[in-house]
Amino acid sequence: MSSTDREAPATWLSQDAYDRLQAELNELIAARPAMAAEINARREEGDLRENGGYHAAREEQGKAEMRIRQLQELLRTAQVGDAPKADKVAPGTVVTIHFDDDTDDTDTFLLGSREISATTDLTVYSPESALGKAILGAGTGQTVTYTAPSGADIKVTVVKFAPYGA
């Protein structure tokens, strides 16, 4: 099965997170005319090759447009509400793991979209990260191994997990 044959895991957002992201999107869209006016004003300053203000304004516009597209896609595909209860680790769950065979070396984090990190004090790991991919679908007590970005193989055991906010 190729990666295009399967759907990406749903991104679950609380109503509060959804509303906050929608407000950010609305602000960015509302700022478009002012940004265009800034670019036009900078363009009229003269030679574009040496016009730092113009290039900076264009760069800001590009970043804003990229963020608008990112938010539109996230909000279009997000599931709003509580993630369904699961018997395996899934996006939207708070997971506690321990490393290697040391039950005292634990880490608790939220497996989910980075967008939700502004709404929680928990560390957020993406389901697409090396650790996220390794524990996705694991059950309590299951041990998995993943390769860290450093190249080291790391063994972790899922101690417990629960839906975020439960």
Side-chain angles (χ1 to χ4, degrees):
M1 176 189 297
S2 75
S3 62
T4 57
D5 291 341
R6 60 177 188 215
E7 278 187 37
T11 299
W12 287 90
L13 297 174
S14 67
Q15 187 65 52
D16 181 57
Y18 183 90
D19 293 344
R20 181 183 53 76
L21 293 171
Q22 184 65 57
E24 180 185 350
L25 175 61
N26 293 342
E27 286 175 24
L28 287 168
I29 290 172
R32 278 176 165 164
M35 202 171 296
E38 174 74 14
I39 290 170
N40 285 335
R42 298 292 179 202
R43 182 181 296 127
E44 293 180 11
E45 291 176 356
D47 186 359
L48 295 182
R49 289 176 297 185
E50 297 180 18
N51 188 333
Y54 170 78
H55 293 291
R58 289 288 306 213
E59 186 174 322
E60 285 303 310
Q61 179 189 39
K63 288 178 184 177
E65 290 299 321
M66 183 176 72
R67 181 68 175 153
I68 287 170
R69 287 190 302 276
Q70 181 185 38
L71 287 171
Q72 286 173 329
E73 180 63 15
L74 175 65
L75 294 172
R76 184 182 68 76
T77 60
Q79 300 286 330
V80 179
D82 295 327
K85 305 236 183 286
D87 59 350
K88 297 195 180 301
V89 173
T93 55
V94 176
V95 183
T96 300
I97 59 170
H98 71 73
F99 293 91
D100 295 316
D101 295 318
D102 183 355
T103 58
D104 293 329
D105 186 9
T106 64
D107 190 14
T108 299
F109 54 88
L110 173 61
L111 185 65
S113 166
R114 295 267 182 212
E115 299 299 332
I116 203 165
S117 64
T119 65
T120 181
D121 291 333
L122 290 168
T123 300
V124 178
Y125 287 101
S126 165
E128 288 80 34
S129 68
L131 174 58
K133 286 179 184 176
I135 64 169
L136 202 58
T140 301
Q142 188 171 347
T143 299
V144 296
T145 302
Y146 70 97
T147 302
S150 66
D153 285 338
I154 300 175
K155 184 170 75 169
V156 298
T157 301
V158 176
V159 177
K160 64 181 179 178
F161 61 92
Y164 178 61

